Every structure is written in C-alpha cells, then in structure tokens.
Amino acid sequence: MPLKIYERDGQWWFRGRIARIPTSKYYRQSTGASIECSQAEAQAIVTDFEIREVKRYYIGDEKSLTFSEAVLLYDADQATANALLVVLPEIGDKRLSEISPTEVRNLGRKLYPNNSTDTWRRWVVTPIRSVINNAHDLGKGPAIRIKSYSKIEMLKQDKLRGKQSRQEKTPGSWPWINAFRAASKSPYRKAMALFMFETGARISQACAIEPEDLDLQNARIWMPEAKGTEAQWVTISMDLVVELANLRPRKPRQGPHAGRKMTYRVFGYANKDGVYKGWKTDCKRAGIETIMPHAAGRHGFGTEMLVRQGLDPTTVADAGRWADKTLMQRTYAHPENSTDRIQEALRTGRVQAQSLGRTKSLKK
C-alpha cells in the first residue's frame, strides 16, 4: 500500500510502502508534525520524504544528499551557523554533487559584494567546504577542494571597494608594553599584557586560565589548547611569577557570554569582549598607539624573538606553539625599519667591496 498519513498521539504519522521502489520496506513512523498542522502540510512532509528515499534508491546517497541535509549533519559553532544561514537560500536545495568549487567562490562576491576576499573565505568558502567534507567523511557525499582567492583577486576587490585588505598589524614591543602597564589602572590587564607578550599566548587562552593552572613554584603555567595546539606547560619569567603571585583571581562579571557557573579566572575576564574597552582606555591614557591584545601579545612575541632578538625560527615556533613555522614567519614576524636597514647594508657592502679592492691592488 502507498504511504498514507494518520493521527496518533497528537501527531501526524504515516505508514505503507513506497510504490516507486520495487523492494520498498514497510514504513510506520512520525512526520514530526503535530495535529495542529493541517493535513496538507503533513502530506507535504511525507511527499518530501518519499522523494528523498526514491533518489537514494536509484542514484545513491552520494548524489542525493542536499546541502541543507548535509548542514544538519555538521556540528557548527554559533558563528559558522550564522554564516550558513546566509548561504542556505542560495544552495540549500542543491545536491552536494552539483555544487562546484567555482560556484562556491562566486558566492562570496554575490553575498558580500562590499567585503574583502578574506571575508568571502571566512564566511562563505570555509563553512560550505566544512559542511560538504564532513558529509564526505560520513560516507554521504563527494569531497570538495576550493582554491584560495589569489593576490590579484584580492587587490581587484580592494580597488572596487576602496579599502585595503590585511592591513599590517603593529606588533607589541618592550617600550609599548612598559608604557601600557605604567598607565593602566587595572592590575589584571597589566599582568595579561605582560603574560601574552612573554609567552605568545592568544587572548582566549589568557582569559581561560584558572588558578589551578598556575605552578608558580616551578615558574610555569598550564596553557590551554587553541587552534589545534594541545594544552601544555609553558615556562614564565620570575618577574611574571611574582606579579601573578600577588594577583588575586576573581570571578568575571556575569554577562551574556559568561555562562551560568563562572569559575575564578587568573586575569579576571570571561572572554576577550570584556577586555577590549578597558584596553583601549589604557592605550589612550598612556598616549601610545592603540594596539589590541592579539597584536600586542602574540604578534609582539613573534617579532620580538625573530626580528629584534634574532632567534632561529624553529626555536621561536616551538616556544610560541606554532605548528606551522612558515605561517609564523609570514604572519607574525613584522619587519622593522626595513628601509634604513637595507640602506645601511648596502653602504656596508660598498665599503667592504672598496676595501677589498684596495687590498688586492696593493698586493699587485
């Protein structure tokens, strides 16, 4: 018998076999809709179910799964979920096998015409690729590879929108850190600034540190995991040990992101949002450039160690917990006074060459 709907326990159910499938099993299950819905709405749900089962029977899961169905299989965080809500009206009804890399890349321009290619990658390409490849990992669809936007594409889009992408960050330095700490009226932000600059920690890691993560007797901190890097012990300076020993842990203020049971935090903040306002005030009070925590801390650490102190990249990558040494050098090592240093190197080379020439002339 074909699928028929009926009422049961306050819901619409259906039962029967799918006529278009020769070997159809017998179904008896709920539509998920209450009887408050009309019979026509319940019937539409059953019809959609039947269409999906027919596609699955004749062409298989890999070709029948739609992007909307694949989204339901993906465990997205809130930011990614919000991005997918924008994408779904565009490709939600498409089967995964019908979605091409070119179509995904072009969606960035369509959905965010006034934003950068970095925004297209973050809010369009990455979420779509994650959903499709997650379905592939579950054996329910083909994988997809989407090439990055090129430098030419980035510059072209920047010209159209009249704004430059990837503006160079100013990294923190000892003079900046000292001025910031001298002006700040918050012992928590003072300690946090020093901690991030000394260890290369991300602000999310700094905010997450709890009193039990401190082992000040051995001058170390249990650094939380972040971006694929596992949690680990990190050595800190004795100056920081003394400062943390005198810093009283506190519970962050209860806000919309604090959670119901907030534990004590070493630096007193639940997340980065609670830090920014006071951080900007401290910069203004100190009369220094406003450098936000990530640039002051992690970028500052990378530049201090690689550029100013001249340590080798392998050592710095290990100490700063960078899995990709090339990424660290490309993103976190900011050249300083490059023009002056190049001109000085040219002058030095010229003098050395002239001196060598005179020496050879004398020997003749």
Side-chain angles (χ1 to χ4, degrees):
M1 60 180 290
L3 297 181
K4 292 185 177 181
I5 61 173
Y6 62 99
E7 296 181 25
R8 176 180 173 183
D9 299 329
Q11 288 190 322
W12 289 107
W13 282 55
F14 65 92
R15 62 189 174 195
R17 302 180 189 277
I18 299 177
R20 288 181 288 173
I21 299 180
T23 58
S24 173
K25 68 177 184 179
Y26 188 85
Y27 295 92
R28 187 195 300 272
Q29 62 191 67
S30 170
T31 65
S34 71
I35 56 174
E36 294 178 359
C37 296
S38 67
Q39 185 171 346
E41 290 174 313
Q43 184 62 59
I45 294 174
V46 174
T47 300
D48 287 342
F49 171 81
E50 187 172 352
I51 291 172
R52 288 198 303 271
E53 291 301 300
V54 169
K55 286 195 300 182
R56 185 173 290 112
Y57 176 79
Y58 285 103
I59 60 179
D61 276 334
E62 181 168 315
K63 294 184 179 180
S64 66
L65 195 71
T66 66
F67 185 77
S68 293
E69 293 167 338
V71 167
L72 298 177
L73 301 174
Y74 182 67
D75 185 17
D77 57 35
Q78 188 59 55
T80 302
N82 292 338
L84 289 170
L85 287 175
V86 179
V87 166
L88 279 171
E90 302 293 331
I91 60 172
D93 294 334
K94 284 200 167 189
R95 294 194 293 268
L96 298 187
S97 57
E98 295 175 336
I99 300 173
S100 70
T102 299
E103 179 181 16
V104 175
R105 296 175 86 255
N106 289 341
L107 266 183
R109 180 176 289 104
K110 179 179 179 180
L111 295 173
Y112 302 97
N114 298 318
N115 291 92
S116 67
T117 55
D118 285 342
T119 297
W120 299 349
R121 175 188 56 78
R122 174 66 182 89
W123 299 117
V124 179
V125 173
T126 299
I128 292 176
R129 181 176 57 206
S130 298
V131 167
I132 294 176
N133 287 338
N134 178 67
H136 172 70
D137 291 342
L138 296 173
K140 296 182 178 296
I144 191 170
R145 294 183 63 184
I146 307 171
K147 67 179 183 180
S148 299
Y149 295 102
S150 67
K151 183 70 174 290
I152 293 175
E153 289 174 306
M154 181 188 76
L155 294 175
K156 181 179 179 181
Q157 178 62 12
D158 285 351
K159 185 176 181 180
L160 288 173
R161 69 196 189 101
K163 188 177 180 180
Q164 181 183 353
S165 298
R166 304 181 189 178
Q167 295 183 6
E168 186 73 11
K169 282 184 171 66
T170 301
S173 63
W174 276 119
W176 189 94
I177 291 291
N178 290 338
F180 177 92
R181 283 164 49 79
S184 178
K185 294 183 178 181
S186 167
Y188 297 96
R189 289 195 296 274
K190 286 182 181 181
M192 178 184 281
L194 182 61
F195 167 71
M196 290 191 295
F197 184 74
E198 280 197 5
T199 63
R202 300 178 182 278
I203 188 170
S204 59
Q205 294 173 301
C207 290
I209 293 175
E210 300 180 358
E212 54 265 33
D213 296 326
L214 301 182
D215 180 13
L216 300 183
Q217 197 166 13
N218 292 302
R220 61 180 188 171
I221 288 179
W222 183 251
M223 186 74 74
E225 62 179 12
K227 288 199 172 183
T229 302
E230 62 183 11
Q232 58 191 279
W233 286 110
V234 173
T235 300
I236 58 176
S237 69
M238 289 308 300
D239 287 340
L240 188 55
V241 167
V242 173
E243 191 157 343
L244 293 179
N246 290 284
L247 189 67
R248 183 178 179 181
R250 67 178 182 182
K251 281 189 178 182
R253 294 177 180 176
Q254 291 293 332
H257 307 294
R260 294 181 179 177
K261 294 183 179 180
M262 182 55 60
T263 58
Y264 282 90
R265 301 295 172 85
V266 169
F267 297 108
Y269 292 97
N271 53 55
K272 61 183 181 182
D273 296 330
V275 179
Y276 287 164
K277 184 177 179 179
W279 190 279
K280 291 178 181 178
T281 299
D282 291 339
C283 292
K284 185 176 181 180
R285 184 181 291 114
I288 55 179
E289 180 181 355
T290 299
I291 303 178
M292 297 309 286
H294 187 65
R298 193 159 175 79
H299 282 260
F301 174 85
T303 301
E304 178 70 24
M305 298 305 156
L306 284 168
V307 179
R308 301 182 192 121
Q309 303 302 325
L311 299 185
D312 67 276
T314 300
T315 297
V316 178
D318 180 66
R321 301 163 307 285
W322 277 283
D324 187 338
K325 181 171 63 177
T326 302
L327 172 66
M328 175 198 68
Q329 292 175 284
R330 183 175 67 246
T331 306
Y332 292 89
H334 299 265
E336 295 186 323
N337 304 318
S338 55
T339 300
D340 292 342
R341 293 171 68 184
I342 289 295
Q343 292 302 314
E344 178 62 28
L346 288 172
R347 286 192 291 271
T348 300
R350 184 181 296 112
V351 171
Q352 290 174 341
Q354 291 173 345
S355 176
L356 180 62
R358 286 194 296 270
T359 300
K360 289 184 177 179
S361 178
L362 289 173
K363 286 184 178 180
K364 291 181 179 179

